[in-house]
Amino acid sequence: MAKAAATPEEAGAEAPKKGNKMLIIIIAVLVVVIVGGAAAFFLMGNKHADEGEDGGDEVVAEEDHEAAAKEAKKAKLKKKKEAEAKGLPPVFVELDPFTVNLQAESATDQYLQVKATLRVDEQHAADHLKAYMPEIRHKVLLLLSGKKASELATPDGREQLADEIKNAVNAIVGEVPKGKKGEPQEPIGPIESVLFTSFIVQ
């Protein structure tokens, strides 16, 4: 048999029950959102406070790092003077020759053939360099192949290249101090200079 149609009073009684359930669900969701927001606020507040403390530590660490870099430079100069006073001969490390294609400036290809020698501060450093030789050669090859013939045509251009090689090798075997804003400074390492014993651009 078919069910009798609901009377208006029964329909009215069901509507408040559905409304009460909806109200309870909305209140529960609001409570969860408010509690979650408060928890997130407290957790983020603690994180920012920790970052503020770390920021102070970073400033102190940068100052310590700068002081350490200055001390390292002073120690290096002192060691050099002591070696000269003792009459110790300078120490050199000869690199195998490099032949690279230069960056194109015209229709014809140009290449560079270089023999270079590194002057180091002590014999121990010369022995230490041999362990890093594949990485050193890689970095020097990248530097050389990124140059144009016009950049290497003058003595100033060649001196600049020598300084770039010195800094690249010192960055590998030494350390790179950071400035106040975190920018890298000139690397400190055992390489005192780079000397070209042959330099041919064709």
Side-chain angles (χ1 to χ4, degrees):
M1 285 180 125
K3 288 187 177 178
T7 62
E9 289 114 18
E10 292 173 351
E14 288 180 16
K17 287 181 182 176
K18 288 182 181 177
N20 286 341
K21 286 182 182 177
M22 185 63 79
L23 184 62
I24 291 172
I25 291 172
I26 290 173
I27 291 173
V29 168
L30 285 174
V31 168
V32 168
V33 169
I34 291 171
V35 169
F41 175 76
F42 286 116
L43 291 175
M44 294 301 283
N46 288 341
K47 183 177 180 183
H48 288 302
D50 291 344
E51 286 175 0
E53 291 171 7
D54 290 346
D57 291 345
E58 287 175 10
V59 171
V60 171
E62 285 176 8
E63 291 174 358
D64 289 346
H65 197 67
E66 285 181 23
K70 287 179 182 177
E71 288 299 319
K73 285 182 181 179
K74 286 181 183 177
K76 188 173 178 180
L77 286 172
K78 184 179 178 184
K79 190 186 295 186
K80 184 177 179 180
K81 287 180 182 177
E82 287 174 358
E84 289 173 357
K86 291 178 183 177
L88 296 175
V91 180
F92 296 99
V93 176
E94 188 173 332
L95 300 177
D96 290 338
F98 295 92
T99 303
V100 297
N101 289 328
L102 295 171
Q103 294 293 311
E105 291 183 296
S106 63
T108 59
D109 289 338
Q110 291 184 297
Y111 72 91
L112 170 67
Q113 186 176 27
V114 174
K115 287 182 77 176
T117 301
L118 307 176
R119 182 176 178 161
V120 295
D121 55 6
E122 60 183 357
Q123 184 60 47
H124 171 71
D127 297 336
H128 184 66
L129 280 177
K130 292 174 185 169
Y132 289 93
M133 200 52 71
E135 188 175 357
I136 291 169
R137 287 193 57 79
H138 168 76
K139 193 61 111 172
V140 173
L141 279 170
L142 289 178
L143 268 172
L144 295 175
S145 62
K147 297 294 181 183
K148 297 178 181 176
S150 60
E151 296 172 334
L152 305 174
T154 65
D156 288 340
R158 293 176 186 183
E159 283 299 322
Q160 182 179 347
L161 176 62
D163 283 341
E164 290 175 11
I165 293 171
K166 178 185 86 165
N167 289 337
V169 176
N170 276 336
I172 293 169
V173 297
E175 67 172 294
V176 181
K178 304 255 186 218
K180 289 184 179 180
K181 296 181 181 178
E183 72 278 5
Q185 301 290 315
E186 183 176 329
I188 300 171
I191 311 303
E192 295 177 346
S193 61
V194 176
L195 309 166
F196 296 123
T197 55
S198 174
F199 200 98
I200 302 169
V201 177
Q202 287 186 337

